[in-house]
Amino acid sequence: MNQRNFIKHWIHRAQAWFSVPQATLIGLKQRAYGVDMSRYQGTFNPAAAVPGLLDFGIIKATEGTTYKDPEFENFYPGISKLTAQGAYHYLKSNVSGVSQANWFLDTIAGKKFHMLVIDFESTGNVMNDAFVHVLYDALVRVTTGRPEAKVLLYTNPNFYNTIIYPAAIRIWGRDVFTDWDLFIAQYPFLVNLDGEPVMPKNRADWKLWQFSNAGIAAEHGTKYPVDRDVFNGGVSAFKTWLHITTEPPAPTPSLPDIQVVLGDDVTYEKQTVILKAKQ
C-alpha cells in the first residue's frame, strides 16, 4: 500500500498473475470493487478505466507529521466520480499518534471521504508495543475528528497476530482494535478456496480486502499497476455500510398557465388565449 522494495513488489505481482482461481472466486461473489493508490500509480483517470469496474477509490494523503502524497490533490477529482471515496495515512513509529492523526485530518479537511484508513506496516518502522499504542491513539483521534466517516485499520494477518494483538493484550488486557473495521492485506499465495482472506486471530469479520497489487493499469485508469480491493459484500451493502443514499430526482415544479391577450391593430378586437404549461 505504501513504499515497497523492488524485489517484494515483483514477487507480489508474480503471485497475483498466477492467482486466476482466487480472482475468479472474488469476482463471482459480486463484491463492490475498488483500488487504493499513491504516487506510485502515477496518474488516475476513471474515464479510462473499464466502464462500471470501479465502485470506490482510496488515495494516500499523508505519512508521519509532515509528508503529503504529491498526487493526493490530483487523484481526488478522479475518485470523486466514483460511488465512494477514501483516504489513508501511513503510520510512523516513534511519532505521536495524535500528531499524525491531526496532520492527516488537516490535509483532508474540506474534502468528502466515506472511508479513512490508518495503515500499519513495517517499512521504516519499529514494530513494538509503543508503535501499537501510536496506532491506537491515531485511530481514536481520526474517529473523533471525522465521525461521519468509517475508520479502518489496514494491516496484514501476520502483523495483527504477532504485533498488534499481543501488544493490545499486554497494554489494555483486551483487543481494543476490534472497535474498528478491518482492511486486510492478504495476497493470494495463501489461498482460501471460498474466496475469503486468511483472517488474523480474534477477528471474524473484514470490511475491505486488498487481494492484489498487480491490477492492470489500462483497466483501472492508472499509469502503473495498482492495488485491488473488494468490500465484503455487494454494491448495495457497501452503500448501506457507508450510509450512501441515492437521492430521487427532485420533482419538476408545475408551471402556471399563462394568459395572453392578443390585439388587432385594424379592428382592435381582443382575444384571450390560454397557453397551457407543459407538465
Side-chain angles (χ1 to χ4, degrees):
M1 195 169 182
N2 188 55
Q3 308 132 316
R4 306 179 186 88
N5 66 59
F6 184 80
I7 295 175
K8 182 182 287 188
H9 172 75
W10 284 100
I11 289 174
H12 286 167
R13 288 191 64 185
Q15 290 163 340
W17 285 331
F18 289 100
S19 63
V20 175
Q22 180 81 343
T24 301
L25 285 166
I26 293 165
L28 288 175
K29 292 204 170 187
Q30 299 299 306
R31 290 169 169 153
Y33 177 82
V35 292
D36 63 84
M37 301 175 288
S38 69
R39 66 183 179 88
Y40 295 105
Q41 276 60 62
T43 58
F44 176 60
N45 177 13
V50 173
L53 177 66
L54 298 176
D55 299 304
F56 63 91
I58 301 172
I59 56 177
K60 181 176 181 178
T62 51
E63 178 176 329
T65 55
T66 58
Y67 180 84
K68 176 180 177 181
D69 191 278
E71 296 302 328
F72 173 71
E73 299 291 347
N74 296 327
F75 285 167
Y76 184 75
I79 66 168
S80 295
K81 294 180 172 66
L82 306 178
T83 298
Q85 299 77 45
Y88 77 89
H89 172 83
Y90 187 84
L91 200 66
K92 299 294 291 183
S93 60
N94 300 321
V95 182
S96 163
V98 173
S99 297
Q100 293 189 66
N102 286 337
W103 170 236
F104 181 39
L105 293 169
D106 289 345
T107 301
I108 65 174
K111 291 181 170 60
K112 181 178 180 180
F113 288 107
H114 300 90
M115 300 167 286
L116 300 176
V117 181
I118 299 298
D119 180 356
F120 183 89
E121 297 187 48
S122 61
T123 302
N125 289 316
V126 179
M127 305 298 278
N128 56 18
D129 287 11
F131 189 25
V132 174
H133 212 306
V134 168
L135 170 64
Y136 177 78
D137 291 343
L139 286 166
V140 170
R141 177 68 187 96
V142 173
T143 302
T144 57
R146 290 289 289 260
E148 80 284 2
K150 294 292 185 181
V151 179
L152 299 98
L153 162 59
Y154 170 96
T155 195
N156 65 41
N158 180 57
F159 292 155
Y160 203 102
N161 288 339
T162 62
I163 307 296
I164 296 174
Y165 180 80
I169 298 302
R170 286 191 291 268
I171 298 170
W172 296 282
R174 69 179 183 91
D175 185 358
V176 294
F177 296 100
T178 57
D179 293 343
W180 289 277
D181 290 322
L182 191 60
F183 184 176
I184 191 75
Q186 192 261 299
Y187 295 162
F189 53 87
L190 296 174
V191 176
N192 277 0
L193 295 180
D194 59 355
E196 300 286 335
V198 174
M199 295 297 294
K201 64 179 66 173
N202 200 45
R203 300 301 296 254
D205 187 37
W206 58 275
K207 289 299 183 185
L208 296 179
W209 174 17
Q210 184 190 82
F211 65 93
S212 167
N213 69 348
I216 297 172
E219 295 179 356
H220 296 83
T222 57
K223 186 175 182 179
Y224 301 112
V226 64
D227 294 341
R228 305 171 67 194
D229 310 315
V230 287
F231 170 72
N232 193 7
V235 175
S236 178
F238 181 61
K239 291 180 178 179
T240 299
W241 175 57
L242 296 176
H243 306 295
I244 296 174
T245 58
T246 302
E247 297 292 338
T252 303
S254 297
L255 298 175
D257 296 339
I258 301 175
Q259 179 174 295
V260 179
V261 179
L262 303 177
D264 186 312
D265 288 340
V266 177
T267 65
Y268 298 101
E269 291 180 356
K270 290 183 169 53
Q271 188 175 18
T272 299
V273 178
I274 303 297
L275 302 179
K276 299 295 289 182
K278 185 177 180 180
Q279 302 299 316

